Amino acid sequence: MEQRNELVVCAGLTKTYGSVKALDHLNLTLGGGRFVGLLGPNGSGKTTLIKLINGLIQPTDGSVLVDGQAPGVHTHSVVSYLPDRGYLNDWMRVSDLIDFFADFYADFDRVKANDMLQSLSINALDRLKTLSKGTKEKVQLILTMSRKAKLFLLDEPIAGVDPAARDYILNTILSNYSEDAAVLLSTHLIADIERVLDEVIFLKNGVMTLHESVDTIREEHGKSVDMLFREVFAC
Amino acid sequence: MQWQLRGDRPIYQQLVEILTEQIVSGQLAAGEKVPAVRELAAQAGVNPNTMQRALADMEREGLMHTNRTSGRYVTEDKEMIDKIREQIASDRIAEFLAGMSQLGFSEQEVFRLLEKRQEEGNQNGTEK
């Protein structure tokens, strides 16, 4: 389960909004089989980076390659993306959404999706709009994780769900990402997830200040990633 | 099986300690087959890569070995397991004595306290 290939390569990746540099000359390589935490305070560029990798926005400068190609038709077929907000149609039933995803993505696994719905006691016949905020998030995450993708981009996937479901979801992500797939997950809830991460990236004002394995950080600093984060980003 | 992880040290090191304790306590018996990496990782709630690293460490220390065709096993060397068990015990005792000395107890006083505890235990007919 070592690093095998270069799944994501960012070179001098820059995105500016007017005079604001959301992302500033980011150089980053992510390999397959890694579970990577993307950490940084609000407005540090986490969502911008995820959107650039997914091709939802275009870089102002520099480049990003996913599976050897610029974001486009091919990369969409190998990247499974969970946005930081709801985007699914409210009137649809959960079962409709499963059909929808199965039509859309060749790598979607219905059996897996239904298993996860069952484990979290979600009724597939419920309409999305009748579900609570946390349950909606669980549904979105289940749909995202039921693909056999090479790269999972998860933007704040666990913020809205309760701690028990959080554990289940993390275990689901862990057991579902195949050995050469990578997960890039942005979050503020570092303490909850650091034991499942291989490596972390710290973003500060659009600049990557750290890209290191969790155990190396603990070894070198004698503290958890959560503690280090609080120290580095102390207000 | 308990997998309590602390924040201040590398996770793989803590996994090695927990696995070692499982072996010396007999939870994982000598010669027993070790569960698959992913299964152990799921139990502990950690990343499979981290568990893999811990298991590799266990092999390096000779407490586990991999059979090319049938998986990973706990060592059959009971002598080695006993030795490590005693090592852990003596580490714990040193730790305990250090704690007691911080409270101002000399080793002599600690022995007396332990003896007293044993006598009381015998009187109550319960040994702890």
Side-chain angles (χ1 to χ4, degrees):
Chain A
M1 271 181 266
E2 282 308 301
Q3 196 150 322
R4 284 192 197 105
N5 48 354
E6 295 182 344
L7 206 49
V8 178
V9 181
C10 302
L13 192 61
T14 303
K15 179 73 184 176
T16 54
Y17 293 107
S19 62
V20 181
K21 280 204 162 152
L23 214 56
D24 194 0
H25 290 90
L26 181 93
N27 295 306
L28 172 68
T29 303
L30 296 180
R34 314 298 283 175
F35 197 148
V36 185
L38 181 58
L39 315 174
N42 305 108
S44 56
K46 302 188 294 290
T47 298
T48 301
L49 174 59
I50 286 179
K51 283 184 171 170
L52 282 165
I53 296 173
N54 207 27
L56 290 172
I57 51 178
Q58 298 305 313
T60 312
D61 198 13
S63 67
V64 54
L65 293 179
V66 178
D67 201 23
Q69 298 194 21
V73 176
H74 171 71
T75 70
H76 290 316
S77 73
V78 298
V79 174
S80 190
Y81 167 55
L82 179 77
D84 59 348
R85 61 196 68 182
Y87 67 102
L88 301 166
N89 286 319
D90 244 8
W91 55 267
M92 286 177 109
R93 294 179 196 278
V94 176
S95 57
D96 295 335
L97 287 165
I98 289 182
D99 291 341
F100 188 57
F101 265 66
D103 285 346
F104 235 94
Y105 299 109
D107 58 1
F108 189 79
D109 184 344
R110 276 169 186 281
V111 178
K112 200 185 253 182
N114 283 317
D115 279 353
M116 284 194 263
L117 286 175
Q118 219 164 24
S119 307
L120 288 172
S121 311
I122 298 171
N123 185 352
L125 294 177
D126 284 345
R127 289 185 196 278
L128 206 55
K129 67 176 164 202
T130 66
L131 302 177
S132 73
K133 180 170 180 282
T135 308
K136 269 184 211 159
E137 290 193 17
K138 288 179 201 166
V139 170
Q140 274 201 52
L141 187 69
I142 288 171
L143 292 168
T144 310
M145 291 314 296
S146 296
R147 290 183 53 196
K148 220 175 158 35
K150 281 189 178 171
L151 175 65
F152 294 92
L153 297 174
L154 311 177
D155 201 351
E156 286 285 351
I158 54 173
V161 303
D162 61 84
R166 213 171 273 170
D167 283 348
Y168 173 81
I169 284 168
L170 284 175
N171 286 335
T172 305
I173 297 174
L174 268 183
S175 52
N176 279 348
Y177 83 99
S178 65
E179 281 169 28
D180 38 30
V183 180
L184 180 65
L185 175 153
S186 80
T187 188
H188 301 292
L189 300 166
I190 306 170
D192 278 357
I193 63 150
E194 76 172 272
R195 70 202 162 91
V196 305
L197 297 177
D198 284 300
E199 42 194 84
V200 294
I201 294 167
F202 276 17
L203 275 183
K204 193 175 189 176
N205 298 326
V207 179
M208 184 167 78
T209 57
L210 180 83
H211 181 194
E212 194 60 84
S213 91
V214 169
D215 272 350
T216 307
I217 288 172
R218 286 172 171 234
E219 227 153 21
E220 282 177 4
H221 298 268
K223 57 184 67 136
S224 66
V225 177
D226 187 46
M227 296 284 291
L228 184 67
F229 183 90
R230 285 167 203 260
E231 218 174 84
V232 171
F233 294 105
C235 298
Chain B
M1 237 179 247
Q2 283 298 309
W3 297 90
Q4 284 202 343
L5 300 170
R6 294 158 46 95
D8 52 355
R9 284 180 310 128
I11 295 166
Y12 83 94
Q13 274 179 13
Q14 300 183 56
L15 295 177
V16 166
E17 283 163 21
I18 293 169
L19 287 166
T20 306
E21 217 175 295
Q22 288 180 355
I23 291 175
V24 300
S25 70
Q27 257 180 296
L28 273 171
E32 191 181 326
K33 191 169 178 1
V34 181
V37 179
R38 282 195 166 248
E39 196 182 315
L40 275 178
Q43 271 180 32
V46 300
N47 189 295
N49 292 317
T50 312
M51 185 56 81
Q52 175 69 43
R53 185 172 176 193
L55 292 172
D57 247 46
M58 296 295 286
E59 286 184 7
R60 209 167 306 124
E61 287 176 23
L63 277 167
M64 290 180 182
H65 59 86
T66 303
N67 181 317
R68 200 175 285 270
T69 50
S70 57
R72 189 179 272 110
Y73 292 87
V74 178
T75 180
E76 273 131 43
D77 188 345
K78 293 214 171 94
E79 221 170 284
M80 179 190 196
I81 294 175
D82 279 343
K83 226 161 114 190
I84 290 172
R85 185 160 161 264
E86 270 166 39
Q87 181 59 48
I88 292 175
S90 93
D91 288 349
R92 294 262 166 97
I93 290 169
E95 220 173 276
F96 166 70
L97 288 176
M100 292 306 277
S101 121
Q102 268 203 324
L103 290 175
F105 287 99
S106 70
E107 271 190 37
Q108 280 305 317
E109 285 171 305
V110 172
F111 282 130
R112 227 167 291 134
L113 282 175
L114 285 172
E115 272 167 9
K116 195 172 149 213
R117 187 184 165 84
Q118 199 182 24
E119 277 162 27
E120 280 170 3
N122 287 343
Q123 272 166 20
N124 298 335
T126 53
E127 222 167 310
K128 233 193 158 188

